[in-house]
Amino acid sequence: MRVIAKSTLRKFWEQSQHADAKGPLESWYDEAIQATWSSPQEIKAQYRSASICGNHRVVFNIGGNKYRLVVEMQYRAGIAWVKFIGTHACYDEIDVETVNDY
C-alpha cells in the first residue's frame, strides 16, 4: 500500500508527549507499505483489533491502544490515507467517518 503520508505520523511522534508512539507507528507503517490489502477482511486478518468503519475508514489501535490511527482505505488504488492520529481520549471526540485532520 502507498501510505499518505508518513510525515503526518512523524509530526505526531515528534511531539514530546507522543514520543512513545514512534516505534509502534513505524512498525505499522512498515507493515502497511508491504501490504496488498484489497478488502476490509484482509486487514482484519492481519489486525484483529482493527475496526472497520463507514466511509472506507479503518481504525488501528497503536501502542497498546494508547493511540488511535484512522486511515481511509482506497483498495483499488492501493492507498492508505492517514486521516487522524491521536490519543484514545482525542479519538473519542471525533467522527471517524468525517475526520480529516493530519
Side-chain angles (χ1 to χ4, degrees):
M1 304 297 290
R2 181 171 159 221
V3 176
I4 303 174
K6 186 174 184 179
S7 61
T8 303
L9 304 177
R10 186 179 306 112
K11 285 177 192 173
F12 184 77
W13 79 55
E14 286 178 346
Q15 298 173 41
S16 60
Q17 69 270 34
H18 304 305
D20 61 335
K22 180 179 182 180
L25 285 171
E26 285 182 319
S27 293
W28 177 87
Y29 178 84
D30 290 343
E31 291 172 8
I33 62 171
Q34 296 298 317
T36 56
W37 299 314
S38 62
S39 69
Q41 294 78 16
E42 290 182 5
I43 293 174
K44 287 292 282 183
Q46 185 171 353
Y47 293 96
R48 291 189 333 212
S49 65
S51 299
I52 308 301
C53 304
N55 201 21
H56 310 285
R57 305 292 174 98
V58 179
V59 179
F60 295 92
N61 298 321
I62 303 293
N65 204 22
K66 182 175 181 182
Y67 302 107
R68 293 285 180 98
L69 173 64
V70 178
V71 177
E72 179 182 318
M73 300 304 299
Q74 297 175 7
Y75 297 103
R76 286 213 252 215
I79 295 172
W81 191 344
V82 175
K83 295 296 184 177
F84 171 87
I85 177 68
T87 64
H88 204 273
C90 290
Y91 168 82
D92 288 340
E93 298 178 14
I94 66 163
D95 180 342
V96 171
E97 294 184 18
T98 61
V99 69
N100 203 21
D101 291 343
Y102 10 84

